[in-house]
Amino acid sequence: MKKYNNLLAVIEPKRDYQVALKRAIEFARYNPNATITALRLIYDFSYDIHILNRKKENSTKEEVERVHLEALEDEIKKYANPDVHIIPKVIWAKDLGEAIIDEMINGNYDLLIKGANRHGVLDSIIFTPIDWYLLRNSPTPVVIAKEHPWDASGNIVVALDFTSGQKRNTNIKLLREAQMLATITKGKIHLINSAPVLLPTVMLEVPNYAPEVYAESILKEHQRRLIEFAKQHNIPPEQCHIEEGLPEDVIPNLCRVLAPQAVLIGSAGRSGVSAAFIGNTCEEIVDYIDADLFVYNNKTIDENKD
């Protein structure tokens, strides 16, 4: 966390526990130079109050902003730490997701922290929830924080992807971030991978073809790549884990066994129709992992290549 000097924590209304702010303060313990901006968004109702003249509208907005800023300052006091610098900030927004991304860009933040929201299957079809929008568009890593205690010496899981050579930079970036986190928190890194067995349709027509043999060969190949990657980066074999299956099934299963504090994963950053019906692995597993999810999308990886 030493390189994360400027943290943005999203404060959410009607929440008794501001997990994003709490996690930001815990991260700041490891970096005395860190500054936290506690961001509270207010819906911009300018287009909803046509009956008010401009002078009345401005005075109304000023009053609303004052009330929200006071409430935000009171919220910060609940978590205040004399060793951590926290700046309260209130901004108006017509679209919450876009407003957070704009603030990230304009404020030159290093890390975005947001509490996890529950959302259902239909959410991804009808509209893009804020969590999903941030994962796809954030110019910095995003932490989706869960309501669990952050303990030192916990497990840190890195979800690797060996489906193509293009994922190499992503795998290395995730491991480097995990190593930095492990160094300051005294945590233990575990590498996990899934071996999806997608049997080609044409193979079903081959006489005496055994699908289980094909599945075993896929699993062995993924094991070989995982152990080879771990050896290159001095990770013991006993801290490498792999299962046959799709990532959205395997990652939550392995995390239930390993009980990590944090899970680092790359995001493909899909958008449009493909995102609505396919989704990204990190978006599909966010509700099923009881750990903070550190997400690195293509923009983050490309800008931070080793």
Side-chain angles (χ1 to χ4, degrees), residues 83-104:
D83 299 325
V84 179
H85 185 208
I86 303 176
I87 302 172
K89 187 168 187 177
V90 173
I91 63 174
W92 295 87
K94 295 183 180 68
D95 183 286
L96 302 184
E98 290 183 3
I100 294 174
I101 295 299
D102 288 343
E103 176 65 20
M104 288 292 298

Side-chain angles (χ1 to χ4, degrees), residues 220-236:
K220 285 184 177 180
E221 177 59 21
H222 277 258
Q223 287 175 329
R224 183 191 66 78
R225 294 181 182 181
L226 177 59
I227 297 300
E228 184 179 276
F229 181 87
K231 186 177 181 180
Q232 291 173 350
H233 300 282
N234 300 313
I235 304 296

Side-chain angles (χ1 to χ4, degrees), residues 5 16 18 58 109 111 189 194 205 222 252 258 275 290 295 298:
N5 296 316
D16 296 330
Q18 296 295 337
N58 289 338
Y109 296 97
L111 188 69
I189 294 176
S194 66
E205 306 297 328
H222 277 258
L258 297 171
D290 190 21
V295 182
N298 292 337

Side-chain angles (χ1 to χ4, degrees), residues 37-281:
T37 298
L39 180 66
R40 174 73 170 86
L41 300 171
I42 311 174
Y43 174 70
D44 190 344
F45 52 82
S46 300
Y47 294 100
D48 300 334
I49 53 175
H50 301 294
I51 59 174
L52 299 180
N53 59 39
R54 180 62 59 181
K55 183 176 181 180
K56 180 65 175 177
E57 176 187 325
N58 289 338
S59 63
T60 301
K61 292 185 70 171
E62 289 174 1
E63 176 63 18
V64 172
E65 186 171 335
R66 182 188 65 80
V67 170
H68 279 80
L69 186 58
E70 290 178 354
L72 176 57
E73 291 172 343
D74 290 339
E75 193 71 40
I76 291 175
K77 290 178 182 177
K78 300 177 184 178
Y79 306 91
N81 185 315
D83 299 325
V84 179
H85 185 208
I86 303 176
I87 302 172
K89 187 168 187 177
V90 173
I91 63 174
W92 295 87
K94 295 183 180 68
D95 183 286
L96 302 184
E98 290 183 3
I100 294 174
I101 295 299
D102 288 343
E103 176 65 20
M104 288 292 298
I105 296 173
N106 297 330
N108 292 318
Y109 296 97
D110 303 313
L111 188 69
L112 171 61
I113 307 173
K114 187 182 181 299
N117 283 331
R118 294 289 178 181
H119 43 254
V121 175
L122 289 180
D123 293 333
S124 61
I125 298 175
I126 299 174
F127 66 95
T128 304
I130 298 175
D131 289 0
W132 293 35
Y133 184 85
L134 297 178
L135 296 183
R136 294 167 184 160
N137 297 282
S138 176
T140 71
V142 179
V143 177
I144 300 298
K146 296 294 189 74
E147 294 186 16
H148 68 90
W150 183 272
D151 300 320
S153 305
N155 287 333
I156 299 170
V157 162
V158 181
L160 301 177
D161 186 348
F162 297 116
T163 55
S164 72
Q166 297 176 343
K167 302 295 183 180
R168 180 180 180 275
N169 286 330
T170 300
N171 290 336
I172 294 176
K173 172 64 178 177
L174 294 176
L175 180 58
R176 292 289 177 265
E177 294 288 322
Q179 289 171 329
M180 179 183 66
L181 183 60
T183 298
I184 60 178
T185 64
K186 310 303 179 184
K188 179 185 290 187
I189 294 176
H190 290 264
L191 306 180
I192 67 173
N193 181 240
S194 66
V197 179
L198 303 176
L199 186 65
T201 305
V202 66
M203 300 303 294
L204 297 176
E205 306 297 328
V206 178
N208 301 319
Y209 182 75
E212 62 275 10
V213 175
Y214 176 79
E216 184 178 352
S217 66
I218 293 294
L219 182 60
K220 285 184 177 180
E221 177 59 21
H222 277 258
Q223 287 175 329
R224 183 191 66 78
R225 294 181 182 181
L226 177 59
I227 297 300
E228 184 179 276
F229 181 87
K231 186 177 181 180
Q232 291 173 350
H233 300 282
N234 300 313
I235 304 296
E238 58 270 20
Q239 291 169 221
C240 300
H241 314 271
I242 188 170
E243 283 186 4
E244 179 185 326
L246 296 174
E248 55 265 33
D249 298 322
V250 171
I251 296 175
N253 288 342
L254 291 175
C255 285
R256 277 190 284 271
V257 175
L258 297 171
Q261 296 289 320
V263 177
L264 285 74
I265 188 171
S267 167
R270 295 190 187 97
S271 60
V273 175
S274 64
F277 290 97
I278 302 174
N280 296 308
T281 299

